[in-house]
Amino acid sequence: MSVAVRFAPSPTGLLHVGNVRLALVNWLFARKAGGNFLLRLDDTDEERSKPEYAEGIERDLTWLGLTWDRFARESDRYGRYDEVAAALKASGRLYPCYETPEELNLKRASLVSQGRPPIYDRAALRLGDADRARLESEGRKPHWRFKLEHRPVEWTDLVRGPVHFEGSALSDPVLIREDGRPLYTLTSVVDDADLAITHVIRGEDHVANTAVQIQIFEAVGGAVPVFAHLPLLTDATGQGLSKRLGSLSVASLREEEGIEPMALASLLAKLGTSDAIEPRLTLDELVAEFDIAKVSRATPKFDPEELLRLNARILHLLPFERVSGELAALGLTEADAAFWEAVRPNLSRVAEARDWWAVTHAPVAPAADDPAFLAEAAALLPEEPWDLSTWGTWTGAVKAKTGRKGKDLFLPLRRALTGRDHGPELKNLLPLIGRTRAQKRLAGETA
Ligand code: GLU
């Protein structure tokens, strides 16, 4: 059977780096295996799901290049969940319960105070028809729990190795709410079974769900997929990431931090694995290097500084064609490969190219603090056309004429030509500045 995986976010907030890492790992797994990648929106929580979050998820994945082969939305599938729920009720695996949230809290608190695990006591299973009729006549509506079998549940996790749960140590999960709506624990299994998902790769916050869901797969007659539970990313201080706080959201990394998609992908593909984090310019390279066996069980920390350093290293390698759109969006519609290659070694973010565009193409107030020397240098400026050899020819002549060398020679020229002490190599900048501007700046004029 061909490999099929899914990324199943709830559209209840912005995707953060931890969420999108799971998307990436699923996508890489699918591509490596020649399988397919499903994007499924888990949107049965109608109060909290929002169309703008769904659009945000699609935008973030598209930006990263994580294209999906199939798409599903749980809210389109209520009819199917009802059908499965009816079958589970008929077979006695789903049973009605009438406790209110307050009653359940009391039960839980009392068990915990006795030092016992807060497992549901199955009181509802002991109700007779008359009890249920009485509760319903009081206006109570049932929620429905799945009756777990009290036997061991085991699987071999691709990240955690052999995992073992005792069914008796788990609470019968609620699958249908009082208002009749199905919950994630059920819907996810029905979808994974119907859509023939072969590998469920998700965060380790779902390990206990898996134990329960394996029994649900078996009860609905679905093939049980292979599972892999990855440790969740934390921030640099070790705190968990929250979708609702928008902390480290993909949107803010893209729109506010100027992060390149391949910088984020290069980091997230390797974080928490045995591979070194290196800049990669294409997802294909990450596919070639991917192996889920390299994912470690240790909790990986996401450090925004590390991402920014990787972003800089990626920019230093990216060809002009890969950034021309971004440069145009910054208003640099006339930027060309020569400009990009001149400035990219000095950038951490593409937007910083604007500064260097201003230095090469807009008036600059020079720092002309050695006028006699600059006048001598100006007199030696070669005629145009200029190219990458002009700087060497010119400064060779200035050196011969003035006897200056090193910093004494180069710094006053840099300060006059760019108004700054540091920047891209002047060999590359000089032809972009051009003779007319250079001459004026060397004369101390804003040009
Ligand atoms: N909607 C669930 C979540 O976002 C999906 C978990 C799963 O992959 O099954 O946590």
Side-chain angles (χ1 to χ4, degrees):
M1 199 183 357
S2 88
V3 163
V5 296
R6 82 303 193 278
F7 173 55
S10 308
T12 54
L14 300 171
L15 290 186
H16 61 55
V17 289
N19 308 128
V20 90
R21 168 175 174 252
L22 287 167
L24 176 65
V25 169
N26 271 286
W27 189 90
L28 292 171
F29 188 91
R31 291 291 171 265
K32 182 90 187 192
N36 75 77
F37 174 73
L38 163 76
L39 171 60
R40 182 182 92 201
L41 296 179
D42 284 1
D43 58 351
T44 54
D45 182 342
E46 291 181 358
E47 289 77 37
R48 289 175 37 230
S49 296
K50 300 262 180 327
E52 58 269 31
Y53 291 132
E55 285 155 24
I57 288 165
E58 296 194 26
R59 197 177 316 124
D60 291 346
L61 296 184
T62 303
W63 174 71
L64 275 167
L66 306 184
T67 45
W68 49 96
D69 310 301
R70 296 189 290 169
F71 177 84
R73 198 192 302 273
E74 291 201 322
S75 58
D76 290 341
R77 293 174 41 80
Y78 284 126
R80 174 67 183 138
Y81 308 136
D82 288 348
E83 205 173 278
V84 173
L88 290 173
K89 287 175 188 173
S91 67
R93 290 302 292 276
L94 264 185
Y95 63 94
C97 304
Y98 295 85
E99 294 91 344
T100 63
E102 295 72 36
E103 286 164 354
L104 290 171
N105 280 339
L106 283 177
K107 284 190 191 201
R108 239 177 266 129
S110 139
L111 287 168
V112 169
S113 74
Q114 297 164 50
R116 289 165 55 196
I119 297 172
Y120 177 61
D121 62 8
R122 293 186 159 175
L125 274 181
R126 295 186 288 274
L127 297 174
D129 287 346
D131 303 316
R132 281 191 287 271
R134 177 178 47 77
L135 287 161
E136 296 201 12
S137 73
E138 287 169 10
R140 295 208 191 196
K141 288 211 165 55
H143 54 273
W144 297 76
R145 286 186 191 261
F146 179 74
K147 190 172 166 210
L148 288 168
E149 287 172 358
H150 287 178
R151 57 177 169 84
V153 183
E154 286 167 338
W155 74 93
T156 303
D157 196 287
L158 293 185
V159 175
R160 303 168 74 83
V163 183
H164 173 107
F165 275 86
E166 283 302 329
S168 55
L170 299 164
S171 264
D172 288 347
V174 178
L175 299 191
I176 310 287
R177 305 196 319 183
E178 208 179 89
D179 62 6
R181 284 234 291 278
L183 287 166
Y184 156 79
T185 311
L186 173 65
T187 57
S188 182
V189 171
V190 175
D191 295 337
D192 288 340
D194 287 355
L195 299 169
I197 297 301
T198 58
H199 295 75
V200 170
I201 304 169
R202 56 187 176 185
E204 68 183 5
D205 50 332
H206 287 287
V207 170
N209 281 341
T210 295
V212 162
Q213 287 181 328
I214 285 176
Q215 288 209 7
I216 303 177
F217 272 105
E218 289 165 354
V220 302
V224 179
V226 174
F227 288 92
H229 293 91
L230 275 64
L232 298 181
L233 289 193
T234 66
D235 69 13
T237 70
Q239 297 282 309
L241 307 176
S242 160
K243 180 153 61 174
R244 279 174 287 286
L245 293 176
S247 68
L248 298 175
S249 70
V250 177
S252 74
L253 293 176
R254 177 180 61 238
E255 283 149 30
E256 286 152 40
E257 301 299 327
I259 296 299
E260 295 300 309
M262 280 313 301
L264 188 58
S266 296
L267 181 64
L268 294 180
K270 303 294 176 61
L271 208 56
T273 76
S274 51
D275 274 352
I277 294 166
E278 294 291 342
R280 296 288 179 249
L281 299 190
T282 63
L283 290 172
D284 285 348
E285 292 166 83
L286 295 178
V287 171
E289 293 164 337
F290 179 80
D291 182 352
I292 198 151
K294 293 178 181 170
V295 175
S296 113
R297 284 196 63 180
T299 299
K301 281 201 169 84
F302 178 85
D303 177 0
E305 294 299 321
E306 185 175 22
L307 178 60
L308 194 57
R309 285 195 297 273
L310 197 59
N311 203 56
R313 292 174 68 197
I314 296 245
L315 289 183
H316 305 167
L317 299 168
L318 272 186
F320 173 66
E321 311 80 74
R322 292 277 299 272
V323 289
S324 55
E326 266 187 273
L327 292 172
L330 291 168
L332 307 185
T333 48
E334 289 164 42
D336 58 11
F339 168 76
W340 174 247
E341 281 157 28
V343 304
R344 72 181 177 184
N346 287 73
L347 305 180
S348 302
R349 302 172 165 95
V350 173
E352 293 159 5
R354 273 190 300 221
D355 297 344
W356 298 113
W357 184 261
V359 165
T360 51
H361 292 80
V364 164
D369 25 32
D370 194 347
F373 166 68
L374 295 175
E376 276 186 296
L380 293 167
L381 276 176
E383 289 305 318
E384 284 179 323
W386 283 2
D387 60 23
L388 297 182
S389 69
T390 306
W391 170 255
T393 313
W394 177 46
T395 53
V398 176
K399 182 179 175 184
K401 178 85 192 296
T402 63
R404 293 201 190 202
K405 55 186 185 330
K407 199 173 161 196
D408 289 342
L409 171 65
F410 298 121
L411 188 60
L413 296 179
R414 175 178 289 283
R415 285 172 50 79
L417 290 169
T418 67
R420 299 161 188 228
D421 288 356
H422 303 283
E425 278 191 59
L426 283 163
K427 168 173 84 92
N428 298 323
L429 288 187
L430 191 64
L432 302 172
I433 293 170
R435 197 171 195 282
T436 310
R437 277 211 161 93
Q439 208 159 24
K440 288 190 178 157
R441 291 179 187 176
L442 290 166
E445 290 171 43
T446 297

